[in-house]
Amino acid sequence: MEQQDKFARLLGIKLEAASPGYARASLTVRPDMLNAVQVTQGGVTFTLADFAFAVASNSHGITSLALSTQLSFPGTSREGDRLIAEAREENSTKRTGLYTVEVRTAEGRLVGLFSGTVFRRSDLVADWMEKNADPGG
Amino acid sequence: MEQQDKFARLLGIKLEAASPGYARASLTVRPDMLNAVQVTQGGVTFTLADFAFAVASNSHGITSLALSTQLSFPGTSREGDRLIAEAREENSTKRTGLYTVEVRTAEGRLVGLFSGTVFRRSDLVADWMEKNADPGG
Amino acid sequence: MEQQDKFARLLGIKLEAASPGYARASLTVRPDMLNAVQVTQGGVTFTLADFAFAVASNSHGITSLALSTQLSFPGTSREGDRLIAEAREENSTKRTGLYTVEVRTAEGRLVGLFSGTVFRRSDLVADWMEKNADPGG
Amino acid sequence: MEQQDKFARLLGIKLEAASPGYARASLTVRPDMLNAVQVTQGGVTFTLADFAFAVASNSHGITSLALSTQLSFPGTSREGDRLIAEAREENSTKRTGLYTVEVRTAEGRLVGLFSGTVFRRSDLVADWMEKNADPGG
């Protein structure tokens, strides 16, 4: 999935682990991911958390679409930091799901606390990705 | 500020307007901003909204740090779409601020609804940016 | 609906207006709605906003269940203040909906900014309420 | 604090445990806490979570004001259910704090997942409560 997600690829995001209702992903903060005061731009932290959320929520094979997300910033990270996002399923029904994601530095410092809600469609992830495949990808 | 924010620059974000408590920014969705099913990755929409939020919340000259953000996805956008984020101040005190951001396509379709809370430090943005300037920037 | 919602009744909430995708509700802050420092307890503001959200999101006749809500507190209110919540539909699909609610004092001061996401079931509100009616209500 | 918080008292909320950065509170769902379809009104779950959040965030003795809260509803509860909210500190600085609250039934089923951000003022809780004491309380 990190190969097909071109924006995750642009950020060098790696999927490290995935199982039903769970995902772990990481990236290393590059110079071009900093904001105007040399700390990691909030969008980088969000993208990593959101990617782990997407993998975890689609892990049952049913297409799941993000409806609403929330991200708090308990800390900051800097160039060279390795960030690890761990997504867990808090609840799952046929049609909905709730996930939380913690983003930590390699040293274990919390830099992002994320929650996200999905709506599950009635089609399968595999079919949906095939139908929407990038012809050039 | 879009020049100093290197991640905003990576995404081609342009600051179109800014005044006290207000900002408008835009980007055009590139092929490398899509997710696995060829729609704009949520992190792109977040980064644009967050950038407008940062400009609006720092527009009074007092350093403002994002504590918490929320983003809902009422619609999707695709390659080539021009996205425009408009940030407005809903409340501002000496120490805190609340902002909402709407992200729309050029046709006016709502694709992101964002809110963010900041804590205001006691230093000035100008001093803070100078102190944390990128030596190589 | 404010008659059947017993908790809304306990708080003296009045539904003032409702139309497809819209609702307006109000209450007057009583002494038993204050917190330890004599301002309106956050749960009162939430309940009023959530009630308006429930009416607006169920206004199309399709049962809509709240998945996720967000409430910011840009101001405080006090005993005797009349609070008015106005809910608007930002997006609606067959299965999902996004609503924002502003809570203001009668003087127009913003004291709560709320957003909420719903999942729409496949049954009708009328059937669902009948099936779950309070036998003693 | 549950004695001084009159709205918490109206709902029969009990503070069960509190320590620096932590609080646990409970209530039993009464008939007058149900919504139109006989499940616990969202405002009841919010008030319980928000009360635990307030106790935990003020537990260091520094006045802490809620800026922004988020509540998801992974499950529902009913009349007679005992709900327990457990608040934990995820981050704390001199001026800000981030807390998460889980609301579960006595059987351990998750019915509310809450997060909240506070701004810390420069006065003490004890002084602030004395200054704002209810003369008739």
Side-chain angles (χ1 to χ4, degrees):
Chain A
M1 200 156 169
E2 80 268 44
Q3 286 310 305
Q4 283 102 343
D5 187 317
K6 283 168 284 298
F7 191 58
R9 210 162 54 186
L10 179 67
L11 270 63
I13 292 175
K14 306 278 179 226
L15 179 61
E16 302 204 337
S19 56
Y22 176 83
R24 193 172 70 242
S26 69
L27 64 75
T28 298
V29 179
R30 298 184 314 225
D32 62 357
M33 295 178 184
L34 303 180
N35 69 11
V37 292
Q38 316 308 321
V39 300
T40 307
Q41 225 265 8
V44 174
T45 310
F46 180 92
T47 303
L48 179 62
D50 191 59
F51 179 78
F53 163 53
V55 174
S57 64
N58 282 287
S59 63
H60 303 293
I62 309 298
T63 300
S64 297
L65 303 179
L67 293 178
S68 166
T69 60
Q70 202 264 344
L71 176 60
S72 298
F73 295 101
T76 54
S77 61
R78 291 170 186 278
E79 186 184 335
D81 279 341
R82 185 163 164 261
L83 303 184
I84 301 135
E86 206 163 12
R88 286 190 179 81
E89 191 168 80
E90 302 288 345
N91 185 56
S92 179
T93 71
K94 189 165 186 285
R95 287 301 194 177
T96 69
L98 173 64
Y99 298 81
T100 52
V101 187
E102 292 184 359
V103 184
R104 296 182 182 274
T105 62
E107 295 74 31
R109 205 160 43 79
L110 188 68
V111 296
L113 197 59
F114 175 103
S115 66
T117 299
V118 295
F119 162 63
R120 304 198 199 281
R121 297 176 11 153
S122 45
D123 51 355
L124 300 180
V125 173
D127 296 346
W128 188 52
M129 285 182 60
E130 193 184 334
K131 212 181 69 184
N132 293 283
D134 177 8
Chain B
M1 198 154 170
E2 80 268 46
Q3 285 312 303
Q4 282 101 344
D5 187 318
K6 282 168 284 297
F7 191 59
R9 210 160 56 185
L10 180 67
L11 270 64
I13 292 174
K14 305 280 179 223
L15 178 61
E16 302 204 335
S19 55
Y22 176 83
R24 193 172 69 242
S26 69
L27 64 74
T28 298
V29 180
R30 298 185 314 228
D32 62 359
M33 296 178 184
L34 302 180
N35 68 13
V37 290
Q38 314 309 320
V39 301
T40 307
Q41 224 265 8
V44 173
T45 310
F46 180 92
T47 302
L48 179 62
D50 191 58
F51 178 79
F53 164 50
V55 174
S57 64
N58 282 287
S59 64
H60 303 294
I62 309 297
T63 300
S64 297
L65 302 180
L67 293 178
S68 165
T69 60
Q70 202 264 344
L71 176 60
S72 298
F73 295 101
T76 54
S77 60
R78 291 171 186 277
E79 187 184 335
D81 277 342
R82 184 160 165 263
L83 303 183
I84 300 136
E86 204 162 14
R88 286 190 179 83
E89 191 167 81
E90 301 290 345
N91 185 55
S92 180
T93 70
K94 188 164 185 285
R95 287 300 194 179
T96 68
L98 173 64
Y99 297 81
T100 52
V101 187
E102 292 184 358
V103 184
R104 295 182 181 274
T105 62
E107 295 74 33
R109 205 160 42 79
L110 188 68
V111 295
L113 196 59
F114 175 104
S115 67
T117 299
V118 295
F119 162 63
R120 303 199 198 281
R121 297 176 16 152
S122 45
D123 51 354
L124 300 180
V125 173
D127 295 346
W128 189 53
M129 285 183 59
E130 193 183 334
K131 212 180 69 183
N132 293 284
D134 177 6
Chain C
M1 199 156 168
E2 80 268 45
Q3 286 311 303
Q4 283 103 342
D5 186 318
K6 283 169 284 298
F7 191 59
R9 209 162 55 187
L10 180 67
L11 270 62
I13 291 174
K14 306 278 178 227
L15 179 60
E16 303 205 335
S19 55
Y22 176 83
R24 193 171 71 241
S26 69
L27 64 74
T28 298
V29 180
R30 297 183 317 226
D32 62 359
M33 295 178 185
L34 303 180
N35 69 11
V37 291
Q38 317 307 322
V39 301
T40 307
Q41 224 267 7
V44 174
T45 310
F46 181 91
T47 303
L48 179 62
D50 191 59
F51 178 79
F53 164 51
V55 175
S57 63
N58 282 287
S59 64
H60 303 294
I62 308 297
T63 300
S64 297
L65 302 180
L67 292 179
S68 167
T69 60
Q70 202 265 344
L71 176 59
S72 298
F73 295 101
T76 55
S77 61
R78 292 171 183 278
E79 186 184 335
D81 279 341
R82 185 162 165 261
L83 303 184
I84 301 135
E86 205 162 13
R88 285 190 180 82
E89 191 168 79
E90 301 289 346
N91 185 54
S92 180
T93 71
K94 189 163 185 284
R95 287 300 194 178
T96 69
L98 173 65
Y99 298 81
T100 53
V101 187
E102 292 184 359
V103 184
R104 295 181 181 275
T105 62
E107 295 74 33
R109 204 159 44 79
L110 188 69
V111 296
L113 196 59
F114 174 104
S115 66
T117 299
V118 295
F119 162 63
R120 303 196 199 283
R121 294 174 17 149
S122 46
D123 51 354
L124 299 181
V125 174
D127 295 346
W128 189 52
M129 286 182 59
E130 192 183 334
K131 211 181 69 182
N132 293 283
D134 177 7
Chain D
M1 199 155 169
E2 80 268 46
Q3 286 309 304
Q4 281 101 343
D5 187 317
K6 283 169 284 297
F7 191 59
R9 210 161 54 187
L10 179 67
L11 270 62
I13 292 174
K14 305 280 179 224
L15 178 61
E16 302 205 334
S19 56
Y22 176 82
R24 192 173 70 243
S26 69
L27 63 74
T28 298
V29 180
R30 299 185 314 227
D32 61 358
M33 295 178 184
L34 302 179
N35 68 12
V37 290
Q38 315 309 321
V39 300
T40 308
Q41 223 264 8
V44 173
T45 309
F46 180 92
T47 302
L48 179 62
D50 191 58
F51 178 78
F53 164 51
V55 174
S57 63
N58 282 286
S59 64
H60 303 294
I62 309 297
T63 300
S64 297
L65 303 180
L67 292 178
S68 167
T69 60
Q70 202 264 345
L71 177 58
S72 297
F73 295 101
T76 54
S77 61
R78 291 171 184 278
E79 187 183 335
D81 279 340
R82 185 163 165 262
L83 303 184
I84 300 136
E86 205 163 13
R88 285 191 180 82
E89 191 167 80
E90 301 289 346
N91 184 55
S92 180
T93 71
K94 189 166 185 281
R95 288 300 194 177
T96 68
L98 172 64
Y99 298 82
T100 52
V101 187
E102 291 185 359
V103 183
R104 294 181 182 276
T105 63
E107 295 74 33
R109 204 159 44 79
L110 189 68
V111 296
L113 195 60
F114 175 103
S115 66
T117 299
V118 296
F119 162 63
R120 302 198 200 282
R121 295 176 15 151
S122 45
D123 52 353
L124 300 179
V125 173
D127 295 347
W128 188 52
M129 286 184 60
E130 193 183 335
K131 213 181 68 184
N132 293 283
D134 177 6

